[in-house]
Amino acid sequence: MKYKIISLLLVFYSLANAQHSKFSVEASYPLTTGQNFIGQDYNGVLDLGVKYKITTMPLVNLGASVNASLLKYRIEGGYSPALDAYVGFKTSLYLIQPRVYAEINLKRITKLHPSIGLGYSFFLFKTNFDSGYFSDESNNEWGINLNLGLSYDLLSRMYIQAGYDFIKLTQLKDGTPSTSYHTNAGIIKLGLGIRI
């Protein structure tokens, strides 16, 4: 018991230690939004991210980040007489988002950090059918990603965050119509970050 208390105190001390770190790791829950193929079909599972602060200036910090998200979509099927089989499937969507970002330094509210980012989003689809058939589609999608974020320092190394990603797909799967339903996507992310 004594060792657990000492270990816990050391963890809190390291989190409260006011060193300026260039790296951050984040874990968030992605929520799909909007009238589009993601907002209506997919449920968020997890988003993990890494940030690197390239430079710190009085008004703004510039950096690069990459996030990886997992979203799921499932169709509960039924028996199809035409196919003489049970038809149903689940699709995993892996979303990879590299970007550059600018984080604004507020003078009066030093614990609050608004940010804006610009990058790309890559949509990688993997479908498993209930019949056992597996499809790893080669025609994946990608597009431009605009990110707006806000974080608040709980401790010098730990923060909570919220962000919104607007994605405009420029490369669609073959045969997908180029409508706003298929090209625009929105994701809200809520989570926790740690500077390491």
Side-chain angles (χ1 to χ4, degrees):
M1 180 68 173
K2 181 172 137 183
Y3 295 112
K4 290 181 182 179
I5 293 172
I6 291 171
S7 298
L8 188 61
L9 288 173
L10 287 173
V11 168
F12 278 117
Y13 174 75
S14 67
L15 290 174
N17 191 2
Q19 295 179 355
H20 296 287
S21 176
K22 290 186 175 277
F23 279 101
S24 299
V25 293
E26 302 171 341
S28 300
Y29 179 70
L31 299 162
T32 59
T33 65
Q35 298 294 322
N36 53 64
F37 77 101
I38 287 184
Q40 294 190 339
D41 295 335
Y42 287 85
N43 295 313
V45 177
L46 179 64
D47 176 84
L48 297 174
V50 177
K51 283 184 176 176
Y52 178 71
K53 196 181 299 180
I54 296 170
T55 184
T56 301
M57 295 181 277
L59 297 177
V60 69
N61 302 326
L62 301 176
S65 68
V66 65
N67 284 68
S69 300
L70 173 61
L71 300 111
K72 296 273 189 177
Y73 173 46
R74 178 164 184 78
I75 291 288
E76 295 293 340
Y79 180 75
S80 169
L83 299 174
D84 192 27
Y86 180 85
V87 179
F89 67 90
K90 60 183 173 182
T91 298
S92 298
L93 169 56
Y94 300 95
L95 185 60
I96 311 297
Q97 298 175 295
R99 69 173 68 93
V100 293
Y101 71 90
E103 182 181 75
I104 301 166
N105 294 319
L106 301 175
K107 290 185 178 180
R108 294 184 184 242
I109 312 171
T110 58
K111 291 188 172 195
L112 195 64
H113 307 283
S115 64
I116 185 167
L118 184 64
Y120 252 79
S121 290
F122 298 93
F123 289 68
L124 312 172
F125 297 92
K126 179 181 170 184
T127 301
N128 291 311
F129 293 88
D130 290 341
S131 61
Y133 176 73
F134 165 78
S135 172
D136 188 6
E137 299 186 27
S138 59
N139 292 333
N140 294 306
E141 301 177 339
W142 60 84
I144 297 171
N145 175 216
L146 175 66
N147 173 266
L148 300 174
L150 189 64
S151 65
Y152 181 80
D153 295 339
L154 298 174
L155 299 168
S156 65
R157 289 192 173 202
M158 183 183 292
Y159 56 92
I160 55 173
Q161 65 169 357
Y164 175 73
D165 287 308
F166 174 76
I167 302 161
K168 180 73 171 176
L169 294 173
T170 55
Q171 176 63 42
L172 299 173
K173 290 186 286 186
D174 290 342
T176 302
S178 184
T179 63
S180 62
Y181 179 85
H182 293 102
T183 59
N184 296 341
I187 300 174
I188 296 172
K189 296 176 186 175
L190 305 171
L192 181 70
I194 297 176
R195 297 179 184 94
I196 54 175

